[in-house]
Amino acid sequence: MNTVSSPEVQMIHHSPSSRSSTESERDLQPFVERPHDVRENQIYRDALLAQPPEFFQGYCQGRLPDLFERVHLVERLVQATTAPQVFVNNIYRVQLRRENHLVQLTITRLDGKPCKDWRHFQQIKNELVGPEFEAVELYPAESRLVDMDNEYHLWVNADPAFRFQFGYRRRHVMEKPLFYRGRGGEEVELGSGVPVISDNTAGRIAQAS
């Protein structure tokens, strides 16, 4: 039976690297509510009206709509995407809508890039709705899929006492990754070791033993 000694762990040790550009963005500035700019509605309207008739087939059960139908549909789309409240900070633009028992947060980055850090979404939810409200990001049936290119949606239950029937029951937050540093008395120096990730840590340690 192989044991893991200090030199063997050092063969595959990983030292914490400097913070990446994505990680450095975790310090979000507070959101500021921005008055809705009606010019944005007109820009969106013009962009939609400039699309060929085939663009609207998905909204018309496969039919090619005439000009009157396209104008009517464009106006419906513009009104549906106009949020009562808009908030902006150094990285994100968030549209907030309230409907019945839900709060919808539509999130986009100001630079148009994909959103990758769920901690940002957690902080957005906490700041704009509240830390004790629960939200979900829905992956819908294809028949009602909406994909607006790097636009994300959180659906927040408006009752702060509501809890989803799935998810963890207790809070457990680690500020730093957990590292395996070897057996007691044979540990490598603090800050080194093998990151404990899912169920592949044992295999990577065994390869070096």
Side-chain angles (χ1 to χ4, degrees):
M1 176 175 168
N2 292 326
T3 59
V4 180
S5 64
S6 178
E8 290 167 341
V9 173
Q10 289 176 342
M11 290 175 59
I12 52 174
H13 86 277
H14 296 266
S15 299
S17 59
S18 58
R19 297 175 69 188
S20 67
S21 58
T22 300
E23 290 174 329
S24 66
E25 292 177 344
R26 287 181 180 168
D27 299 326
L28 302 184
Q29 295 177 6
F31 280 92
V32 176
E33 185 169 4
R34 191 185 75 179
H36 181 72
D37 189 342
V38 295
R39 293 175 298 179
E40 293 182 358
N41 284 5
Q42 190 57 49
I43 291 171
Y44 189 43
R45 184 180 291 111
D46 291 342
L48 288 171
L49 286 173
Q51 302 304 312
E54 292 78 12
F55 174 84
F56 300 95
Q57 281 184 291
Y59 299 97
C60 301
Q61 292 76 49
R63 292 187 302 104
L64 286 176
D66 59 28
L67 178 60
F68 177 79
E69 288 178 301
R70 296 202 301 272
V71 171
H72 181 66
L73 178 57
V74 164
E75 197 58 37
R76 283 170 43 202
L77 291 173
V78 169
Q79 295 304 317
T81 56
T82 301
Q85 292 180 282
V86 178
F87 298 87
V88 176
N89 71 356
N90 56 318
I91 300 177
Y92 293 98
R93 178 178 185 267
V94 181
Q95 301 177 71
L96 187 151
R97 301 176 180 85
R98 299 180 186 273
E99 183 177 352
N100 299 325
H101 65 288
L102 292 175
V103 179
Q104 180 187 359
L105 300 176
T106 300
I107 303 169
T108 53
R109 285 180 60 106
L110 299 178
D111 58 13
K113 294 180 180 179
C115 302
K116 297 181 179 180
D117 196 334
W118 74 265
R119 294 175 180 85
H120 285 186
F121 284 11
Q122 177 77 359
Q123 188 169 339
I124 289 169
K125 186 269 298 180
N126 288 351
E127 182 176 343
L128 298 184
V129 185
E132 285 304 308
F133 291 81
E134 294 214 324
V136 294
E137 187 176 12
L138 178 66
Y139 293 84
E142 284 291 322
S143 57
R144 61 174 185 151
L145 176 66
V146 173
D147 185 355
M148 300 298 287
D149 192 18
N150 294 336
E151 181 177 273
Y152 302 80
H153 305 273
L154 291 184
W155 307 91
V156 190
N157 192 290
D159 179 2
F162 173 84
R163 295 292 180 267
F164 290 100
Q165 295 302 305
F166 51 86
Y168 296 105
R169 296 188 178 275
R170 293 182 177 84
R171 177 181 172 87
H172 178 69
V173 177
M174 297 183 62
E175 298 298 332
K176 297 180 179 179
L178 181 65
F179 280 79
Y180 175 77
R181 298 172 51 217
R183 292 188 173 184
E186 299 178 345
E187 299 96 334
V188 297
E189 63 183 10
L190 189 65
S192 299
V194 180
V196 178
I197 303 174
S198 185
D199 61 352
N200 64 352
T201 307
R204 288 186 289 120
I205 293 175
Q207 289 176 0
S209 60

